[in-house]
Amino acid sequence: MTITSMGFGIFLAVLSSLSCARSCTFTITNNCPHPVWPGTLAGAGTPPLPTTGFRLESGQSVRIPSTPGWSGRIWARTGCSFDPSGIGKCETGDCGGRLECDGNGATPPASLFEITVGSGEEKDFYDVSIVDGYNLPLLVVPRGVYGPCNATGCASDLNLGCPKELQVVLGGDGGQQGQGGVVACKSACEAFGLDQYCCSGQFSNPNTCHPSIYSTIFKHACPRAYSYAYDDGTSTFTCKAYDYEIVFCPSVNGTKKASNETIATPHIEEPSSGELIHLVSSSNILLPFPLAIIFILINLLS
């Protein structure tokens, strides 16, 4: 049984249109030795994800569907405590003192994954940013529709080498992360509020705003992450992906950057103790194209 060239072209066009109609999912994994509370924030003009904040235990993974054209941020909060109504606070990355962020962004410092999902055949644009400071190691590995895409992130623990003047230090026992009390590392902009660090005022363009000694430290440790406002050239990536694996604390179980500036793909277990969040209609969830329909199309076009 053969398929005519015209029929085969129609067949591929059908598959392509179905592929382009799909949206991607975000697989969020907590590889840290303590719980984290991921938060999500939708950009202007795009709907919120099915959840805007939740608790994720150590070793858990959760898949969250997006919609075509979605843009926004995903990050992890640490050291959180909430009452049964979802009111409380977090040591880092807090979003208005609520379990569900509900339109509130992360309080700096926080490591951020930022993305604009392409609609149709448009590519996704994504990055990991520590422009607003850093609280946790973060690795993002996209799985491309048409082949491999670039991984990005900041797998180094910047809290260990954070300059004293940028440190966020907890009293008492030093918090859950236990790194000598340092639970996050501020940006120079947040720490000092100067235009030259914030790329504002007379420094509000790429010709006058240059890397500072502090952003250079961050960039050296995490060469693929945004370190200051105009760090576009080495920090923004494109892909057409069906899934983005977002791993917090990727190096705990040995995941490291490979040679020549590539990052090894971490092993992600299927969610077991976690749950698949699918609180939106099934049309927004990534679904496989039924194999039986493919065979029917082949028979019709042969």
Side-chain angles (χ1 to χ4, degrees), residues 131-175:
V131 173
D132 292 335
Y134 166 101
N135 67 335
L136 282 177
L138 169 60
L139 179 67
V140 178
V141 181
R143 298 197 177 278
V145 173
Y146 307 115
C149 300
N150 287 313
T152 187
C154 184
S156 300
D157 189 346
L158 298 186
N159 293 333
L160 293 176
C162 183
K164 187 174 182 179
E165 58 271 31
L166 304 184
Q167 293 177 359
V168 176
V169 182
L170 291 180
D173 62 2

Side-chain angles (χ1 to χ4, degrees), residues 19-300:
S19 174
C20 293
R22 299 176 184 173
S23 58
C24 68
T25 59
F26 301 121
T27 300
I28 304 175
T29 296
N30 177 17
N31 204 41
C32 304
H34 52 76
V36 299
W37 287 258
T40 71
L41 174 66
T46 62
L49 293 177
T51 178
T52 62
F54 57 97
R55 179 181 175 121
L56 193 62
E57 299 293 341
S58 178
Q60 280 189 329
S61 294
V62 170
R63 292 195 300 270
I64 304 175
S66 71
T67 55
W70 189 85
S71 67
R73 294 176 166 186
I74 297 174
W75 71 97
R77 297 165 285 174
T78 63
C80 300
S81 178
F82 298 103
D83 65 21
S85 65
I87 304 298
K89 63 178 182 179
C90 300
E91 294 171 353
T92 71
D94 194 70
C95 58
R98 300 185 62 88
L99 174 61
E100 289 269 355
C101 294
D102 292 329
N104 295 307
T107 299
S111 314
L112 304 172
F113 169 55
E114 303 174 316
I115 187 169
T116 297
V117 178
S119 296
E121 294 184 354
E122 296 175 353
K123 288 187 176 182
D124 311 330
F125 287 81
Y126 61 98
D127 66 80
V128 166
S129 174
I130 48 178
V131 173
D132 292 335
Y134 166 101
N135 67 335
L136 282 177
L138 169 60
L139 179 67
V140 178
V141 181
R143 298 197 177 278
V145 173
Y146 307 115
C149 300
N150 287 313
T152 187
C154 184
S156 300
D157 189 346
L158 298 186
N159 293 333
L160 293 176
C162 183
K164 187 174 182 179
E165 58 271 31
L166 304 184
Q167 293 177 359
V168 176
V169 182
L170 291 180
D173 62 2
Q176 290 181 338
Q177 296 175 59
Q179 303 293 350
V182 179
V183 295
C185 192
K186 297 179 182 179
S187 67
C189 174
E190 183 188 3
F192 308 119
L194 299 177
D195 287 351
Q196 67 190 78
Y197 295 133
C198 299
C199 291
S200 57
Q202 64 177 323
F203 298 96
S204 60
N205 66 77
N207 295 322
T208 57
C209 187
H210 303 291
S212 69
I213 185 173
Y214 297 105
S215 67
T216 301
I217 293 173
F218 292 164
K219 192 65 175 179
H220 179 74
C222 300
R224 291 194 172 199
Y226 257 95
S227 59
Y228 78 106
Y230 295 107
D231 191 15
D232 305 81
T234 59
S235 307
T236 301
F237 300 93
T238 61
C239 178
K240 190 61 180 175
Y242 60 87
D243 181 74
Y244 285 87
E245 297 177 357
I246 304 166
V247 186
F248 294 102
C249 304
S251 60
V252 170
N253 291 331
T255 301
K256 299 179 181 179
K257 287 196 301 180
S259 59
N260 57 29
E261 296 299 315
T262 62
I263 303 177
T265 302
H267 176 66
I268 304 282
E269 296 290 344
E270 285 297 314
S272 52
S273 53
E275 61 175 321
L276 171 62
I277 298 179
H278 55 122
L279 305 181
V280 292
S281 67
S282 59
S283 62
N284 290 331
I285 302 175
L286 179 68
L287 295 174
F289 185 68
L291 190 59
I293 296 178
I294 294 179
F295 290 143
I296 291 172
L297 284 174
I298 291 175
N299 288 327
L300 290 175

